[in-house]
Amino acid sequence: QVQLVESGGGLVQPGGSLRLSCAASGHGVFSIYTMGWYRQAPGKQRELVAFITDGGSTNYADSVKGRFTISRDNAKTTVYLHMNSLKPEDTAVYYCNRAPATFPWGQGTQVTVSS
């Protein structure tokens, strides 16, 4: 069973930046998984915003393209999400998981973009 722990969220002003981390532990060969970052805003469904394959190819939702960058460090079994030019509409709880999601969800990390 893989456990996922997200961190790095916080309160940031519009236009600011944050880096989220997701540490994976437990059974499984992390390096072979396609990993994704998801977010869930209040009253909305959880959505996939970015994913990275085992080979390092990346894909982004249109809403974050050009502002967010996903990366991974297989040696540390960690996935990152670098978020720049943050907007109020990026406010959400952010989660990581496989893409498609098959692991138990972690607790997520809250990102609030507000002046």
Side-chain angles (χ1 to χ4, degrees), residues 59-79:
N59 191 276
Y60 300 91
D62 288 343
S63 58
V64 306
K65 198 171 294 183
R67 300 187 298 120
F68 290 10
T69 302
I70 188 171
S71 61
R72 66 192 298 163
D73 184 335
N74 290 332
K76 296 182 179 179
T77 62
T78 300
V79 182

Side-chain angles (χ1 to χ4, degrees), residues 15-57:
S17 300
L18 282 174
R19 187 186 80 160
L20 307 183
S21 299
C22 169
S25 61
H27 296 292
V29 182
F30 177 83
S31 61
I32 69 171
Y33 299 136
T34 292
M35 295 296 297
W37 279 97
Y38 301 75
R39 68 185 180 187
Q40 186 167 21
K44 295 187 177 181
Q45 289 192 331
R46 194 172 302 180
E47 61 172 346
L48 177 66
V49 297
F51 67 82
I52 183 167
T53 69
D54 58 340
S57 298

